[in-house]
Amino acid sequence: MDRVALRGLKARGHHGVYPREREEGQTFIVDLVLGLDTRAAAADDDLAKTVHYGIVAEEVVAVVEGEPVDLIETLAERIAQACLKHDGVLEVEVCVHKPDAPITVPFDDVTVTITRSRV
């Protein structure tokens, strides 16, 4: 399976279990790896035969900016399902970063990574 990756998609969302997170929002960062077969697109040099990663990026940002959820696990699942709606995408790995998570000790990042497929 071939891979198309998008790294570092940034969007402001209002996800979290604490009222402050819901009210003020924070930046979330999303990394995606889309699994698909790119041979037909490459052979014909045809965008219609692969996934349009610009559109996928816009859809992912819309999910992050959309309806708030408590858990980044839920957010990752919603992003995965949006990606799998594209015909050529057979599998997706989603990593959601929450670098401003409300943790009381020094840290660099919090992430949840999931892999989903059509099968």
Side-chain angles (χ1 to χ4, degrees):
M1 192 173 313
D2 304 320
R3 305 275 181 228
V4 173
L6 291 98
R7 307 253 187 238
L9 295 170
K10 293 180 184 159
R12 188 158 188 86
H14 294 265
H15 312 289
V17 295
Y18 297 112
R20 191 185 98 230
E21 294 179 289
R22 292 296 183 104
E23 293 163 11
E24 296 174 14
Q26 60 192 292
T27 299
F28 293 84
I29 302 166
V30 178
D31 300 324
L32 300 173
V33 180
L34 307 171
L36 61 155
D37 186 343
T38 64
R39 287 177 287 196
D44 296 339
D45 199 27
D46 186 353
L47 176 61
K49 294 182 178 180
T50 187
V51 64
H52 191 308
Y53 51 79
I55 291 173
V56 172
E58 291 171 359
E59 292 172 354
V60 168
V61 166
V63 172
V64 175
E65 292 176 343
E67 180 185 350
V69 295
D70 288 344
L71 304 177
I72 58 175
E73 292 86 344
T74 306
L75 182 59
E77 184 68 35
R78 288 183 178 181
I79 292 168
Q81 294 310 313
C83 293
L84 289 171
K85 287 182 182 176
H86 291 267
D87 289 335
V89 177
L90 303 174
E91 181 179 275
V92 62
E93 179 182 284
V94 177
C95 180
V96 176
H97 301 254
K98 189 175 179 181
D100 298 321
I103 297 175
T104 60
V105 297
F107 73 102
D108 289 329
D109 199 5
V110 172
T111 66
V112 168
T113 301
I114 65 169
T115 302
R116 299 292 182 266
S117 66
R118 293 180 185 273
V119 204

